[in-house]
């Protein structure tokens, strides 16, 4: 037998059977009557499924169909995982008819794979998503290396599975579980995938060959679809389940904004007992959805993400991070950096916050589905450091203490003789100007802002803030550091509120003005959510922290040329009383029973949405005009990934263009006439 070809990265070795080097996308090898097909797109760091992958697989099937082997193994040679789904750039210039034709070709290939007259096995390490998952489903067996994950993220692109997932997954596992995965876009990690029945065998990389041999030899048994799966072959059972699915889906993804999950429910209800009919309907539905504004805008969001990721490329040369401040943000930053492989020391003047930080880090590991070994390793990299010994060896020091310029200046003065040459100092400030802090920094050229959003483990965006004297190389290293932490950096200049808070604060403060005018908070939040925001501005203020909202609002009111909404007395009263929102259990809402789900209370004022949303758009135009962000795409990406700005609208500036720049500017003028100069349109509208 030919020895295994191994791919190395540190201690990682992939069992590729008898397959040798090649150009790809498919490389073939055979030993003991078992054919191994290895996917490796040479032009990408991660496998995606494009036309070349499918035509290459079709060519391999020509041979396999003529002379079936004892078995066929399909896996990836990419250490990053199996496949991250379809290459959506293939669809960008296509008509719906062209997309349907391409899908039919893909279905033909996977149908042929599913019909091979020998056992077919897909070995998955890392992620098998979208079309990659559909290739795995077309195989008879799935072997997972611990850490593998499976999912259909198509709903995040305004689509549903298009290469057979709609009928192959419900035929394999409990149909309601299958629909849940497809409707939510959530990922099934190894243990759950095994429990659901997606995966037949979970093993370690070094045992892959043995698992393959056992399956091909017929020595592995597995269960069959149960009574519940057979029950959904009845129209009445599917219709009842479909009604329940629609009700739940409408709460999180209203049909008027997100048609794809609702189209998927329709497909399953109508054709769930007829795979051939469902296959045809899947293709037609996918092609139709591809042509919707929602899908176009959500695909735009995908490319915005890619653009921000591109800004994070490069070597950060940061091995050790020291975080100053063991509060909520400092603890989260430290834990996340450790989870992502950095050596981290965490300092605080008190011991209790450090203890809480370690406990929270363990919970974060659990939330990220880390194994016991991965959790142990991450916690080993996180060292409580009350004396600050880690400062001397840190490549990056992140200051995450309360928003006091005096406190930060005192800390920076202490760092001057302790940081090593070449180390970077970054502040996690959300409201203070770097220009007011840089004089205290040990080296102003190596001082910048790293504004993380709370919670760090879930919020993808980080603002990398430069002041006039920041070395551009430092900015790029910090952007690369964000990339190493699997975060999306947006580079911004030192402007009041930077980009995100400058745009978000008028939205939050206007909601409080509306409350002062007698509009119910539930009405305000429900209207914003109907527009497409994931959470209304009142609830969001609670989640951010009312103390932080007040601090940012006061800072912007003092430093911006443009008027801000008046700061509500009730906001000040809440802060003075210690009712700061979610973190204290009470704010404008009671959070003791979880996230509030407001329903409109009373009639919605005619201008409510415009009063909330248009000042946010106007602030984005201001930031673009003043060069706070590099371009409109960065503005849109930052607002989507930091605030959840209605993704199906493609970003605030994209929405403004789609709505009509002239219309938005005129509505702002009308609002300014009625409510004051805070609504006056920025001069930048004429250049948008």
């Amino acid at each position: 037998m030919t020895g295994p070809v191994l791919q190395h990265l540190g201690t990682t070795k992939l069992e590729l059977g008898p397959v040798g080097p090649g150009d790809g996308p498919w490389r073939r090898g055979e030993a003991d009557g078992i054919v191994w097909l290895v996917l490796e797109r040479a032009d990408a760091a991660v496998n995606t499924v494009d036309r070349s992958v499918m035509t290459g697989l079709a060519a391999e099937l020509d041979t396999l169909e003529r002379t079936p082997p004892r078995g066929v193994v399909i896996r990836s040679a990419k250490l990053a995982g199996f496949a991250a789904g379809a290459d959506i750039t293939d669809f960008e210039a296509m008509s719906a008819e062209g997309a349907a034709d391409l899908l039919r070709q893909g279905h033909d290939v996977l149908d042929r794979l599913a019909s091979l007259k020998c056992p077919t096995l897909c070995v998955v390490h890392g992620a098998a998503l979208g079309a990659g998952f559909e290739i795995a489903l077309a195989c008879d067996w799935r072997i997972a290396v611990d850490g593998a994950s499976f999912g259909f993220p198509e709903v995040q692109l305004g689509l549903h599975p298009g290469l057979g997932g709609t009928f192959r997954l419900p035929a394999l596992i409990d149909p309601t579980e299958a629909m849940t995965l497809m409707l939510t876009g959530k990922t099934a990690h190894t243990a759950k995938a095994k429990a659901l029945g997606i995966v037949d065998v979970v093993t370690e990389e070094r045992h892959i060959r043995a698992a393959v041999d056992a399956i091909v030899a017929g020595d592995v048994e597995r269960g069959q679809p149960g009574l519940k799966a057979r029950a959904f072959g009845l129209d009445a059972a599917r219709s009842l389940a479909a009604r329940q699915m629609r009700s739940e889906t409408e709460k999180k993804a209203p049909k008027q904004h997100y048609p794809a999950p609702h189209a998927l429910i329709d497909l399953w209800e109508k054709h769930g007992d007829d795979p051939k009919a469902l296959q045809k309907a899947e293709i037609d539905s996918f092609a139709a959805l591809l042509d919707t504004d929602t899908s176009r805008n959500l695909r735009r969001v995908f490319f915005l993400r890619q653009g921000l990721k591109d800004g994070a490329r490069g070597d950060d040369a940061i091995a050790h991070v020291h975080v100053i401040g063991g509060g909520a943000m400092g603890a989260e930053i430290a834990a996340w950096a450790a989870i992502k492989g950095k050596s981290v020391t965490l300092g605080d003047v008190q011991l209790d916050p450090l203890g809480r930080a370690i406990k929270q880090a363990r919970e974060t590991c659990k939330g990220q589905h880390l194994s016991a070994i991965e959790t142990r390793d991450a916690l080993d990299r996180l060292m409580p450091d009350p004396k600050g010994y880690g400062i001397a060896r840190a490549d990056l020091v992140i200051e995450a203490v309360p928003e006091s310029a005096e406190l930060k200046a005192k800390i920076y003065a202490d760092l001057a003789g302790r940081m090593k040459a070449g180390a970077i100092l970054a502040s996690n400030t959300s409201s203070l100007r770097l220009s007011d802090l840089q004089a205290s920094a040990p080296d102003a050229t190596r001082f910048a802002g790293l504004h993380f959003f709370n919670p760090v483990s879930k919020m993808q965006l980080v603002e990398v803030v430069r002041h006039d004297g920041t070395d551009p190389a430092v900015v790029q290293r910090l952007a690369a550091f964000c990339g190493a932490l699997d975060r999306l950096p947006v580079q911004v200049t030192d402007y009041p509120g930077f980009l995100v808070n400058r745009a978000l604060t008028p939205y939050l403060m206007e909601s409080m003005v509306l409350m002062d005018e007698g509009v119910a908070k539930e009405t305000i939040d429900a209207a914003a959510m109907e527009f497409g925001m994931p959470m209304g501005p009142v609830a969001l203020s609670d989640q951010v922290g009312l103390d932080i909202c007040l601090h940012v609002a006061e800072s912007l009111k003092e430093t911006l040329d443009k008027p801000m909404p008046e700061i509500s007395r009730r906001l000040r009263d809440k802060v003075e009383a210690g009712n700061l929102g979610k973190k204290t259990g009470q704010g404008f809402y009671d959070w003791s029973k979880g996230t509030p789900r407001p329903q409109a209370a009373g009639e919605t004022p005619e201008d409510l949405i415009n009063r909330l949303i248009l000042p946010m758009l106007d602030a984005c135009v201001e930031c673009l005009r003043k060069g706070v962000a590099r371009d409109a795409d960065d503005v849109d990406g930052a607002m989507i990934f930091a605030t959840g700005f209605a993704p199906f609208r493609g970003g605030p500036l994209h929405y403004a263009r789609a709505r009509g720049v002239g219309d938005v500017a005129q509505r702002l003028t009308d609002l300014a006439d009625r409510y004051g100069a805070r609504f006056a349109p920025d001069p930048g509208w004429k250049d948008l």
Side-chain angles (χ1 to χ4, degrees):
M1 178 185 294
T2 305
V5 177
L6 302 179
Q7 183 100 5
H8 295 265
L9 180 62
T11 60
T12 303
K13 302 176 181 179
L14 297 184
E15 169 62 76
L16 304 182
V19 177
D23 297 330
W26 293 99
R27 287 151 41 199
R28 186 181 191 277
E30 183 172 355
D32 291 343
I34 300 175
V35 171
W36 291 63
L37 296 178
V38 172
L39 177 60
E40 184 173 28
R41 286 192 56 178
D43 57 343
V46 177
N47 285 328
T48 54
V49 180
D50 67 352
R51 191 189 299 265
S52 72
V53 169
M54 298 307 290
T55 56
L57 182 55
E60 295 293 345
L61 289 169
D62 290 341
T63 303
L64 295 170
E65 288 167 338
R66 286 194 300 269
T67 311
R70 288 179 59 228
V72 175
V73 178
I74 292 177
R75 80 166 309 181
S76 163
K78 297 282 190 185
L79 287 163
F82 182 67
D87 187 341
I88 66 171
T89 56
D90 283 355
F91 294 113
E92 287 306 289
M94 280 187 190
S95 64
E97 183 179 349
D101 287 342
L102 183 64
L103 289 172
R104 290 187 193 99
Q105 295 169 29
H107 274 266
D108 178 65
V109 174
L110 294 190
D111 285 349
R112 291 170 62 194
L113 174 62
S115 299
L116 276 180
K117 303 299 183 184
C118 64
T120 53
L121 304 82
C122 187
V123 178
V124 176
H125 67 279
L129 303 176
F133 190 8
E134 286 166 311
I135 291 175
L137 287 171
C139 294
D140 300 321
W141 298 80
R142 280 149 298 281
I143 301 172
V145 178
D146 195 20
S149 58
F150 302 80
F152 283 121
E154 285 87 348
V155 291
Q156 297 167 17
L157 299 175
L159 303 167
H160 54 58
L163 280 176
T166 64
F167 60 89
R168 286 199 173 96
L169 188 59
L172 180 68
I173 67 172
D174 178 340
T176 55
E177 295 284 3
M179 289 294 289
T180 298
L181 283 176
M182 292 187 283
L183 289 170
T184 62
K186 290 183 178 178
T187 299
H189 294 270
T190 312
K192 183 175 182 180
K194 181 66 168 67
L196 290 175
I198 293 170
V199 169
D200 301 294
V201 175
V202 178
T203 190
E204 298 177 30
E205 186 67 43
R206 60 196 175 95
H207 295 314
I208 290 295
R209 183 76 72 100
V212 168
D213 290 341
I215 290 173
V216 173
D219 295 335
V220 179
E221 295 183 1
R222 61 181 171 188
Q224 297 297 319
L227 179 63
K228 189 173 182 181
R230 292 195 295 274
F232 284 114
L234 302 174
D235 291 349
R238 282 201 317 282
S239 293
L240 175 61
R243 285 197 296 273
Q244 294 171 335
M245 290 175 188
R246 286 192 188 94
S247 176
E248 290 303 309
T249 300
E250 183 67 23
K251 294 175 184 177
K252 297 181 179 180
K255 186 175 181 178
Q256 70 177 111
H257 297 324
Y258 296 99
H262 299 272
L264 175 60
I265 296 169
D266 292 344
L267 292 178
W268 181 68
E269 180 182 16
K270 186 173 183 181
H271 303 296
D273 60 345
D274 187 345
K276 286 297 181 185
L278 183 49
Q279 183 175 36
K280 181 181 183 304
E282 174 193 273
I283 294 170
D284 294 340
S285 177
F286 186 100
L289 289 168
L290 201 65
D291 203 32
T292 61
D293 286 340
T294 291
S295 182
R296 278 192 287 267
N297 285 338
L298 291 177
R299 297 196 311 269
R300 167 179 164 77
V301 172
F302 173 86
F303 290 117
L304 291 175
R305 180 195 300 274
Q306 293 305 112
L308 293 173
K309 280 186 175 181
D310 288 343
R313 298 190 187 281
D315 181 10
D316 62 4
I318 294 170
H320 185 96
V321 180
H322 183 82
V323 179
I324 301 174
M329 286 303 296
E332 280 260 356
I333 293 168
W336 192 252
I339 287 170
K340 291 302 176 180
K342 303 296 185 182
S343 294
V344 183
T345 44
L346 174 62
D348 197 282
V349 293
Q350 301 292 328
L351 293 179
D352 286 349
L354 299 181
R356 289 194 296 268
I358 299 301
K359 182 178 179 181
Q360 180 57 46
R362 188 177 295 277
E363 290 300 311
T364 302
C365 290
K366 182 178 179 181
Q368 294 299 308
H369 305 283
L370 269 60
S371 68
I373 293 174
E374 290 169 330
T375 298
R376 179 203 66 193
D377 290 345
L379 294 177
D380 283 349
R381 290 189 291 266
L382 177 57
M383 179 72 67
D385 185 16
K387 299 295 186 181
Y389 295 125
I391 293 170
R393 62 179 186 275
D395 304 297
L396 169 65
V397 175
I398 300 176
E399 167 268 301
V401 302
E403 296 284 64
S404 162
E406 293 75 17
L407 174 60
K408 292 178 189 290
K410 182 179 178 181
I411 289 170
Y412 298 172
D414 178 66
L415 291 173
R418 303 177 67 185
M419 290 175 62
K420 71 179 184 180
I424 299 170
L425 171 62
S427 175
N428 185 54
T429 181
S430 60
S431 61
L432 299 177
R433 297 288 300 276
L434 297 188
S435 58
D436 295 332
L437 301 175
Q438 63 176 323
S440 304
D443 181 349
T445 66
R446 309 186 73 78
F447 173 63
L450 269 182
H451 180 208
F452 289 83
F453 294 85
N454 190 29
V456 176
S457 58
K458 294 181 180 179
M459 300 300 290
Q460 300 174 65
L461 194 88
V462 180
E463 289 180 307
V464 179
V465 191
R466 65 188 183 277
H467 61 82
D468 289 344
T470 307
D471 185 338
V474 168
V475 174
Q476 192 53 50
R477 282 182 64 193
L478 290 175
F481 171 72
C482 294
L485 267 54
D486 194 26
R487 288 295 170 259
L488 302 174
V490 61
Q491 296 184 23
V492 297
T493 60
D494 183 24
Y495 189 67
F498 310 138
L499 169 58
V500 173
N501 279 340
R502 168 63 189 100
L504 188 65
T505 302
Y507 167 71
L508 302 182
M509 293 300 106
E510 193 66 29
S511 72
M512 297 178 197
V513 173
L514 285 161
M515 282 194 290
D516 288 343
E517 293 174 3
V519 183
K521 62 180 181 293
E522 294 85 359
T523 298
I524 297 167
D525 280 357
M529 292 170 71
E530 184 177 348
F531 174 81
M533 305 300 281
M535 180 179 284
V538 183
L540 180 58
S541 297
D542 270 358
Q543 181 160 291
V544 169
L546 298 185
D547 52 338
I548 295 173
C549 290
L550 177 59
H551 193 282
V552 173
E554 289 176 333
S555 175
L556 293 184
K557 200 168 183 64
E558 292 173 2
T559 53
L560 283 174
D561 294 333
K562 185 163 190 170
M564 288 283 290
E566 286 300 317
I567 297 174
S568 170
R569 180 68 249 174
R570 70 177 69 193
L571 172 61
R572 297 187 187 278
D573 290 344
K574 294 278 186 186
V575 173
E576 289 171 7
N579 296 324
L580 306 181
K582 182 179 180 179
K583 60 189 173 184
T584 61
Q586 294 285 336
F588 288 107
Y589 286 99
D590 178 356
W591 290 77
S592 62
K593 296 181 181 179
T595 302
R597 302 289 180 190
Q599 300 292 322
E603 186 174 345
T604 302
E606 178 185 357
D607 279 331
L608 191 151
I609 284 296
N610 283 331
R611 285 179 62 179
L612 291 173
I613 300 298
L614 298 195
M616 190 189 307
L617 307 188
D618 190 69
C620 288
V621 170
E622 175 188 302
C623 288
L624 186 64
R625 175 175 63 86
K626 289 182 172 288
V628 177
R630 293 179 297 186
D631 54 36
D633 281 355
D634 272 6
V635 173
D636 280 347
M639 294 303 293
I640 290 168
F641 296 119
T643 74
F645 182 92
F648 67 90
R649 298 189 186 277
L653 295 180
H654 184 78
Y655 165 69
R657 291 189 177 108
R659 177 170 168 172
V661 169
D663 174 69
V664 175
Q666 183 58 54
R667 292 307 297 268
L668 282 166
T669 299
D670 294 343
L671 290 171
D673 290 342
R674 293 181 62 184
Y675 300 107
R678 68 182 184 276
F679 289 103
D682 187 85
W685 284 101
K686 68 179 186 301
D687 299 319
L688 191 63

